[in-house]
Amino acid sequence: MKKWALFIPAWFLVLGFSAELSWQRFYPDDPLWEEPQITIKKPVAVKRSEISDFFDSSTARKPHGEIPPAGDVNTVGGVPDSAWFENRIGTGKMSVEDVVRGPNQGDGPDLGSGWEITDTKGEGVTAGFKIKDGRGDTYFVKLDPVNYPQLTTSAEVISTKFFYAFGYNVPENYLAFVRRDQLRLSSEAVKEGFTERQLDQMLKKAPLRPDGTYQVLASRKIEGDPVGQFEFWGTRPDDANDVIPHENRRELRGFRLFCAWLNHIDIDAINTLDVFVGKKDKGYVKHYLIDFGTTMGSGAFEPQRPRVGHEYSVDWGNIGKSILTLGLWEREWQKIKYPDFPSSVGNFEARHFHPELWRPDYLNPAFERMRPGDAFWAAAIMSRFSDEIVREVVKAGRLSDPKAERYMLNTLLDRRDKILSYYLSGMNPIDRFRIDRRGDGWQLTFVNLGAETGVGQADSYEYTWYSYENQSDRLKRLGDTHTVGLEAIPIPKESRDGFLAVQCRTISRDKPDWAKPVLVYLKRDRSGYRVIGLEREEENGQHDLERRRQLAERRDAGSAE
Amino acid sequence: MPFGRNQSSALVVVLMLSGIAFGQSEASAPEPAATRAELLRKAKLQKQQTSTPLKLGLMERMFAVAENGGLSRSPAGIHPTIGTVTSGSGPSFGARFGLYDIGQLPLDLSIHGAVSTRKYQDYNVDIGEMSSRDTTFTLQPLGRRLTTEFDEGPSLKEPGRTLFLNVNFNHFPREDFYGLGPDSLRANLSDYLYRSVSVEGVWGIQFNRWLGWSVRGGFLGINIQPGTDRDTPDVQFLFAQDSTPGLLAGPDFLHVETALLADYRDKPGDAHKGGMLGLVLGHFDDRGSDQLRFERISVETRQYLPLWSNYRRLALRFLTSFDQPSAGGQVPFYLMECLGGTNSIRGFPEYRFRDRNLLLMSAEYRWDAAEFLQMVLFYDTGKVFSRPGDFGFTGLEKGFGGGLRIKKGGTVFLRLELGHSREGNEVHFRLGPSF
């Protein structure tokens, strides 16, 4: 039997219900779109271990029982701007140019007087070094593997722009083209034992372009003092702004969809960075995602391995089957005949990609707790990526082979469509609610994301109005259920100042799950109505995990698409 | 009626209990918040009052140091190492120190020392032009046996050359010896201490990705003493000089060796397809008595065949070696190649059979149970023989078994194997690939 549960944003509930003396569901500033920050002292800097992260994530941090709704959600299901996340493309206010510019504030490192190498790159799997450019700015420079020109650097630049547009904090990443004679060693690098010959050796392992330059990724040093990395679990005890367990943050749960789209499998604490912004005893911790060198088809120093994205690096069940059958049993992904990938794209494909069965390199506590509501939030953001935006972002990777660029674009579009189709089919996909004038009255308009992205078609929308009492949390039905054919619901004229709610179902012959109700809360004030609350019905978290497990089993048995 | 109104209170409790702290803090706050932002700010201020520094556990800190390049991130400086000194030494731990481009010249210095769990010691000082060493075929010091001569690491070769001076000191305190020939008895297990010092020049050139040539030559001083295993009789106690050449002598040698390697393996550290062909010619000249002068010729070929999948393959190996003493000369027992152990017939113990000549064939069925885990079933066969005319496929010793291997960085990092032969079972635990 299907078990249904409410998804009600956590702030909405926890904050509202707990103020005992003057209980109110909605506060005057709802929905909150900016999380207030308090200033803190600079936390102590720590260095996380990937091995520890792997063991913890694979064992103690696995979800058990019912998964709570995300905790950092406002009353309309959105994630407020914070040190973690900033609403960007999801607001619909980012132009194509904005997305292509991404986090970059300038034109990249200045090559006018060459680069001074100050250190070898100590982190990540690709070869590289740290430089100071002509303006004195510091960059981390990465190279491509010699047999795969543009594989890593182009993938990283493209992915950075996507992750920025989603709303995450990412470094400024530029493509640059540098000649050997524009590189010199600083006295610090020489002192560290780095020599000109080693630099030559390093460059020998990078592809040299016909014009005598190397394509490099120049990642500008993030402003602030690094204080460690964040885990996808728990909170940091010395950061007072960090009050929601990371595994319950919607932007980290929904991050799974973005990672699946871009095949960003290297998701762990090591590829994050916390920096303290401000003075020593007055500032806050800002959370960054870094190192997108293993996204799409890039495995950093070679094309991505076929297992990646299909199975965790350690899957004891599959290992056991392989041992018991002396290797004769094969995983489904092992049977995939990959097309002849362009070398600058690597192993990246859409045909065998299944959004729900996509896997990062190892268990991620936040991903494992992603509920349909979290996925819907991410899908709604993804729905903003038009073909044109994706095309322009891919162009920013400056792939020299037009075939490779076309292949990457088509693969990204196909994977996007699969994700949207999967996650917008299971819930009522109406969103982006707005109040508009309608004659001498008002109407509630919305967008059917499923219809907009071609996932399905709505036949009509059923709605029922309620009056709502904020102090007692009571709904009182106002009249019958009505039906409209367009995405606009007239607001009852007789309503007085205060609160209204409307329950809406989307009727679609091919998408029965669209009939799941969405409840929208409105508040009337002097200037008119505004949307202050939103509830969506979603599947229960535990049920969802079970469904995922069953899907995986079906795929292993060869019956899943 | 809208859905689920009655469930919300229960859900609040779940949320509060799950550690989302705002509600708890506000519940105890004397003044109710007027806005959502104020409510949240209060929760943060309350956490600030109980803020404690983040402390990582000891294990995590240790892992983090190891993952970030150990004590030094620079290619120069001191780096810890883990490996194997020689067959039967057990795992070894040591340190490597490097200096590069000394005096802005193409001159590098590498010092490496390692001690194994069985107290085997290996010290190397290399000085010369070694920038291409990892990608150029170069002959190893003699302490590494012929059976591992061509296992140089996971790097694909690249055109280049290297030239350096190698000073090597080996101290192998308990080398096993069962007597010479195919009929040696297991009951005759004895041991000896092998100590060598060599000062040799090494030159290697890699013509292209698949063809490399190397020459190594210089002084080799060897000292044989009673073994240190108290439970095993000393070799001089069980065997006589007549039947065991070199038993009483600890001569110095002039040693010259050259080898050609045609390597077309796809991944040298864990080949899936392709193969290799290696040829080694050696000359050992006893400078003391001229009685232990001999030539060596060895041929090894390996082939890797995928079995209808990238994840299953057959690995085949053929190795033969002939030591030809000069007229009236002999081959000292401690320089003879051996059969038995982790790199030859795994159903027998290390050094179970030794003689002037050797034939070894191995077949392994390997499959990848995971990226980090390789499983294997193997069959080894071979023999040692005193006269080249005895070369042939009769009288072969056999062994079979299976095991698992941990892979890291494109090569087999660790092996655990169980071999069976007519003499029983042998468990092998070794760092590094088989072939």
mmCIF file with all atom_site columns, all heavy atoms in Angstrom, chain B residues 209-222:
data_model
loop_
_atom_site.group_PDB
_atom_site.id
_atom_site.type_symbol
_atom_site.label_atom_id
_atom_site.label_alt_id
_atom_site.label_comp_id
_atom_site.label_asym_id
_atom_site.label_entity_id
_atom_site.label_seq_id
_atom_site.pdbx_PDB_ins_code
_atom_site.Cartn_x
_atom_site.Cartn_y
_atom_site.Cartn_z
_atom_site.occupancy
_atom_site.B_iso_or_equiv
_atom_site.pdbx_formal_charge
_atom_site.auth_seq_id
_atom_site.auth_comp_id
_atom_site.auth_asym_id
_atom_site.auth_atom_id
_atom_site.pdbx_PDB_model_num
ATOM 1   N N   . ARG B 1 209 ? 57.420 4.246   -27.711 1.00 0.00 ? 209 ARG B N   1
ATOM 2   C CA  . ARG B 1 209 ? 56.550 3.765   -26.638 1.00 0.00 ? 209 ARG B CA  1
ATOM 3   C C   . ARG B 1 209 ? 56.777 2.302   -26.300 1.00 0.00 ? 209 ARG B C   1
ATOM 4   O O   . ARG B 1 209 ? 56.556 1.881   -25.170 1.00 0.00 ? 209 ARG B O   1
ATOM 5   C CB  . ARG B 1 209 ? 55.076 3.944   -27.044 1.00 0.00 ? 209 ARG B CB  1
ATOM 6   C CG  . ARG B 1 209 ? 54.585 5.317   -26.751 1.00 0.00 ? 209 ARG B CG  1
ATOM 7   C CD  . ARG B 1 209 ? 53.090 5.377   -26.687 1.00 0.00 ? 209 ARG B CD  1
ATOM 8   N NE  . ARG B 1 209 ? 52.703 6.716   -26.299 1.00 0.00 ? 209 ARG B NE  1
ATOM 9   C CZ  . ARG B 1 209 ? 52.606 7.112   -25.039 1.00 0.00 ? 209 ARG B CZ  1
ATOM 10  N NH1 . ARG B 1 209 ? 52.847 6.273   -24.067 1.00 0.00 ? 209 ARG B NH1 1
ATOM 11  N NH2 . ARG B 1 209 ? 52.261 8.346   -24.763 1.00 0.00 ? 209 ARG B NH2 1
ATOM 12  N N   . TRP B 1 210 ? 57.230 1.517   -27.266 1.00 0.00 ? 210 TRP B N   1
ATOM 13  C CA  . TRP B 1 210 ? 57.260 0.066   -27.020 1.00 0.00 ? 210 TRP B CA  1
ATOM 14  C C   . TRP B 1 210 ? 58.655 -0.556  -26.983 1.00 0.00 ? 210 TRP B C   1
ATOM 15  O O   . TRP B 1 210 ? 58.790 -1.693  -26.551 1.00 0.00 ? 210 TRP B O   1
ATOM 16  C CB  . TRP B 1 210 ? 56.362 -0.656  -28.039 1.00 0.00 ? 210 TRP B CB  1
ATOM 17  C CG  . TRP B 1 210 ? 56.796 -0.521  -29.464 1.00 0.00 ? 210 TRP B CG  1
ATOM 18  C CD1 . TRP B 1 210 ? 56.474 0.483   -30.321 1.00 0.00 ? 210 TRP B CD1 1
ATOM 19  C CD2 . TRP B 1 210 ? 57.657 -1.409  -30.183 1.00 0.00 ? 210 TRP B CD2 1
ATOM 20  N NE1 . TRP B 1 210 ? 57.075 0.290   -31.530 1.00 0.00 ? 210 TRP B NE1 1
ATOM 21  C CE2 . TRP B 1 210 ? 57.795 -0.870  -31.480 1.00 0.00 ? 210 TRP B CE2 1
ATOM 22  C CE3 . TRP B 1 210 ? 58.308 -2.587  -29.864 1.00 0.00 ? 210 TRP B CE3 1
ATOM 23  C CZ2 . TRP B 1 210 ? 58.567 -1.494  -32.450 1.00 0.00 ? 210 TRP B CZ2 1
ATOM 24  C CZ3 . TRP B 1 210 ? 59.081 -3.210  -30.847 1.00 0.00 ? 210 TRP B CZ3 1
ATOM 25  C CH2 . TRP B 1 210 ? 59.205 -2.650  -32.121 1.00 0.00 ? 210 TRP B CH2 1
ATOM 26  N N   . LEU B 1 211 ? 59.687 0.143   -27.419 1.00 0.00 ? 211 LEU B N   1
ATOM 27  C CA  . LEU B 1 211 ? 60.996 -0.497  -27.472 1.00 0.00 ? 211 LEU B CA  1
ATOM 28  C C   . LEU B 1 211 ? 62.017 0.250   -26.611 1.00 0.00 ? 211 LEU B C   1
ATOM 29  O O   . LEU B 1 211 ? 62.266 1.439   -26.818 1.00 0.00 ? 211 LEU B O   1
ATOM 30  C CB  . LEU B 1 211 ? 61.491 -0.556  -28.923 1.00 0.00 ? 211 LEU B CB  1
ATOM 31  C CG  . LEU B 1 211 ? 62.779 -1.367  -29.127 1.00 0.00 ? 211 LEU B CG  1
ATOM 32  C CD1 . LEU B 1 211 ? 62.572 -2.836  -28.750 1.00 0.00 ? 211 LEU B CD1 1
ATOM 33  C CD2 . LEU B 1 211 ? 63.269 -1.259  -30.572 1.00 0.00 ? 211 LEU B CD2 1
ATOM 34  N N   . GLY B 1 212 ? 62.611 -0.492  -25.653 1.00 0.00 ? 212 GLY B N   1
ATOM 35  C CA  . GLY B 1 212 ? 63.616 0.111   -24.787 1.00 0.00 ? 212 GLY B CA  1
ATOM 36  C C   . GLY B 1 212 ? 64.842 -0.791  -24.652 1.00 0.00 ? 212 GLY B C   1
ATOM 37  O O   . GLY B 1 212 ? 64.766 -2.010  -24.814 1.00 0.00 ? 212 GLY B O   1
ATOM 38  N N   . TRP B 1 213 ? 65.951 -0.155  -24.359 1.00 0.00 ? 213 TRP B N   1
ATOM 39  C CA  . TRP B 1 213 ? 67.217 -0.899  -24.227 1.00 0.00 ? 213 TRP B CA  1
ATOM 40  C C   . TRP B 1 213 ? 67.954 -0.352  -23.009 1.00 0.00 ? 213 TRP B C   1
ATOM 41  O O   . TRP B 1 213 ? 67.991 0.858   -22.798 1.00 0.00 ? 213 TRP B O   1
ATOM 42  C CB  . TRP B 1 213 ? 68.045 -0.706  -25.511 1.00 0.00 ? 213 TRP B CB  1
ATOM 43  C CG  . TRP B 1 213 ? 69.395 -1.360  -25.493 1.00 0.00 ? 213 TRP B CG  1
ATOM 44  C CD1 . TRP B 1 213 ? 69.752 -2.490  -24.830 1.00 0.00 ? 213 TRP B CD1 1
ATOM 45  C CD2 . TRP B 1 213 ? 70.561 -0.912  -26.185 1.00 0.00 ? 213 TRP B CD2 1
ATOM 46  N NE1 . TRP B 1 213 ? 71.055 -2.793  -25.054 1.00 0.00 ? 213 TRP B NE1 1
ATOM 47  C CE2 . TRP B 1 213 ? 71.591 -1.836  -25.896 1.00 0.00 ? 213 TRP B CE2 1
ATOM 48  C CE3 . TRP B 1 213 ? 70.843 0.162   -27.015 1.00 0.00 ? 213 TRP B CE3 1
ATOM 49  C CZ2 . TRP B 1 213 ? 72.875 -1.707  -26.404 1.00 0.00 ? 213 TRP B CZ2 1
ATOM 50  C CZ3 . TRP B 1 213 ? 72.135 0.287   -27.531 1.00 0.00 ? 213 TRP B CZ3 1
ATOM 51  C CH2 . TRP B 1 213 ? 73.129 -0.637  -27.232 1.00 0.00 ? 213 TRP B CH2 1
ATOM 52  N N   . SER B 1 214 ? 68.534 -1.249  -22.231 1.00 0.00 ? 214 SER B N   1
ATOM 53  C CA  . SER B 1 214 ? 69.229 -0.798  -21.031 1.00 0.00 ? 214 SER B CA  1
ATOM 54  C C   . SER B 1 214 ? 70.514 -1.603  -20.829 1.00 0.00 ? 214 SER B C   1
ATOM 55  O O   . SER B 1 214 ? 70.585 -2.787  -21.179 1.00 0.00 ? 214 SER B O   1
ATOM 56  C CB  . SER B 1 214 ? 68.318 -0.959  -19.815 1.00 0.00 ? 214 SER B CB  1
ATOM 57  O OG  . SER B 1 214 ? 68.965 -0.522  -18.651 1.00 0.00 ? 214 SER B OG  1
ATOM 58  N N   . VAL B 1 215 ? 71.503 -0.952  -20.267 1.00 0.00 ? 215 VAL B N   1
ATOM 59  C CA  . VAL B 1 215 ? 72.767 -1.608  -19.928 1.00 0.00 ? 215 VAL B CA  1
ATOM 60  C C   . VAL B 1 215 ? 73.099 -1.248  -18.489 1.00 0.00 ? 215 VAL B C   1
ATOM 61  O O   . VAL B 1 215 ? 72.888 -0.105  -18.073 1.00 0.00 ? 215 VAL B O   1
ATOM 62  C CB  . VAL B 1 215 ? 73.919 -1.125  -20.852 1.00 0.00 ? 215 VAL B CB  1
ATOM 63  C CG1 . VAL B 1 215 ? 75.230 -1.800  -20.458 1.00 0.00 ? 215 VAL B CG1 1
ATOM 64  C CG2 . VAL B 1 215 ? 73.602 -1.404  -22.313 1.00 0.00 ? 215 VAL B CG2 1
ATOM 65  N N   . ARG B 1 216 ? 73.563 -2.233  -17.754 1.00 0.00 ? 216 ARG B N   1
ATOM 66  C CA  . ARG B 1 216 ? 73.985 -1.989  -16.373 1.00 0.00 ? 216 ARG B CA  1
ATOM 67  C C   . ARG B 1 216 ? 75.306 -2.736  -16.159 1.00 0.00 ? 216 ARG B C   1
ATOM 68  O O   . ARG B 1 216 ? 75.432 -3.902  -16.554 1.00 0.00 ? 216 ARG B O   1
ATOM 69  C CB  . ARG B 1 216 ? 72.912 -2.507  -15.413 1.00 0.00 ? 216 ARG B CB  1
ATOM 70  C CG  . ARG B 1 216 ? 73.336 -2.582  -13.955 1.00 0.00 ? 216 ARG B CG  1
ATOM 71  C CD  . ARG B 1 216 ? 72.236 -3.166  -13.079 1.00 0.00 ? 216 ARG B CD  1
ATOM 72  N NE  . ARG B 1 216 ? 71.258 -2.154  -12.702 1.00 0.00 ? 216 ARG B NE  1
ATOM 73  C CZ  . ARG B 1 216 ? 71.327 -1.423  -11.588 1.00 0.00 ? 216 ARG B CZ  1
ATOM 74  N NH1 . ARG B 1 216 ? 72.331 -1.588  -10.748 1.00 0.00 ? 216 ARG B NH1 1
ATOM 75  N NH2 . ARG B 1 216 ? 70.405 -0.533  -11.313 1.00 0.00 ? 216 ARG B NH2 1
ATOM 76  N N   . GLY B 1 217 ? 76.263 -2.131  -15.554 1.00 0.00 ? 217 GLY B N   1
ATOM 77  C CA  . GLY B 1 217 ? 77.517 -2.836  -15.329 1.00 0.00 ? 217 GLY B CA  1
ATOM 78  C C   . GLY B 1 217 ? 78.389 -2.154  -14.300 1.00 0.00 ? 217 GLY B C   1
ATOM 79  O O   . GLY B 1 217 ? 78.285 -0.951  -14.078 1.00 0.00 ? 217 GLY B O   1
ATOM 80  N N   . GLY B 1 218 ? 79.239 -2.977  -13.665 1.00 0.00 ? 218 GLY B N   1
ATOM 81  C CA  . GLY B 1 218 ? 80.146 -2.419  -12.669 1.00 0.00 ? 218 GLY B CA  1
ATOM 82  C C   . GLY B 1 218 ? 80.602 -3.477  -11.694 1.00 0.00 ? 218 GLY B C   1
ATOM 83  O O   . GLY B 1 218 ? 80.652 -4.670  -12.003 1.00 0.00 ? 218 GLY B O   1
ATOM 84  N N   . PHE B 1 219 ? 80.884 -3.025  -10.518 1.00 0.00 ? 219 PHE B N   1
ATOM 85  C CA  . PHE B 1 219 ? 81.432 -3.892  -9.466  1.00 0.00 ? 219 PHE B CA  1
ATOM 86  C C   . PHE B 1 219 ? 80.307 -4.472  -8.618  1.00 0.00 ? 219 PHE B C   1
ATOM 87  O O   . PHE B 1 219 ? 79.343 -3.780  -8.274  1.00 0.00 ? 219 PHE B O   1
ATOM 88  C CB  . PHE B 1 219 ? 82.368 -3.055  -8.593  1.00 0.00 ? 219 PHE B CB  1
ATOM 89  C CG  . PHE B 1 219 ? 82.748 -3.719  -7.315  1.00 0.00 ? 219 PHE B CG  1
ATOM 90  C CD1 . PHE B 1 219 ? 83.774 -4.656  -7.268  1.00 0.00 ? 219 PHE B CD1 1
ATOM 91  C CD2 . PHE B 1 219 ? 82.067 -3.411  -6.143  1.00 0.00 ? 219 PHE B CD2 1
ATOM 92  C CE1 . PHE B 1 219 ? 84.112 -5.263  -6.067  1.00 0.00 ? 219 PHE B CE1 1
ATOM 93  C CE2 . PHE B 1 219 ? 82.409 -4.020  -4.948  1.00 0.00 ? 219 PHE B CE2 1
ATOM 94  C CZ  . PHE B 1 219 ? 83.437 -4.957  -4.909  1.00 0.00 ? 219 PHE B CZ  1
ATOM 95  N N   . LEU B 1 220 ? 80.469 -5.765  -8.299  1.00 0.00 ? 220 LEU B N   1
ATOM 96  C CA  . LEU B 1 220 ? 79.485 -6.434  -7.459  1.00 0.00 ? 220 LEU B CA  1
ATOM 97  C C   . LEU B 1 220 ? 80.228 -7.276  -6.427  1.00 0.00 ? 220 LEU B C   1
ATOM 98  O O   . LEU B 1 220 ? 80.911 -8.229  -6.784  1.00 0.00 ? 220 LEU B O   1
ATOM 99  C CB  . LEU B 1 220 ? 78.583 -7.326  -8.332  1.00 0.00 ? 220 LEU B CB  1
ATOM 100 C CG  . LEU B 1 220 ? 77.591 -8.245  -7.630  1.00 0.00 ? 220 LEU B CG  1
ATOM 101 C CD1 . LEU B 1 220 ? 76.535 -7.449  -6.873  1.00 0.00 ? 220 LEU B CD1 1
ATOM 102 C CD2 . LEU B 1 220 ? 76.897 -9.155  -8.654  1.00 0.00 ? 220 LEU B CD2 1
ATOM 103 N N   . GLY B 1 221 ? 80.137 -6.894  -5.164  1.00 0.00 ? 221 GLY B N   1
ATOM 104 C CA  . GLY B 1 221 ? 80.775 -7.665  -4.103  1.00 0.00 ? 221 GLY B CA  1
ATOM 105 C C   . GLY B 1 221 ? 79.737 -8.426  -3.302  1.00 0.00 ? 221 GLY B C   1
ATOM 106 O O   . GLY B 1 221 ? 78.730 -7.846  -2.897  1.00 0.00 ? 221 GLY B O   1
ATOM 107 N N   . ILE B 1 222 ? 79.992 -9.733  -3.130  1.00 0.00 ? 222 ILE B N   1
ATOM 108 C CA  . ILE B 1 222 ? 78.990 -10.564 -2.449  1.00 0.00 ? 222 ILE B CA  1
ATOM 109 C C   . ILE B 1 222 ? 79.626 -11.264 -1.250  1.00 0.00 ? 222 ILE B C   1
ATOM 110 O O   . ILE B 1 222 ? 80.750 -11.764 -1.327  1.00 0.00 ? 222 ILE B O   1
ATOM 111 C CB  . ILE B 1 222 ? 78.390 -11.601 -3.424  1.00 0.00 ? 222 ILE B CB  1
ATOM 112 C CG1 . ILE B 1 222 ? 77.586 -10.864 -4.519  1.00 0.00 ? 222 ILE B CG1 1
ATOM 113 C CG2 . ILE B 1 222 ? 77.492 -12.598 -2.688  1.00 0.00 ? 222 ILE B CG2 1
ATOM 114 C CD1 . ILE B 1 222 ? 77.028 -11.761 -5.585  1.00 0.00 ? 222 ILE B CD1 1
#
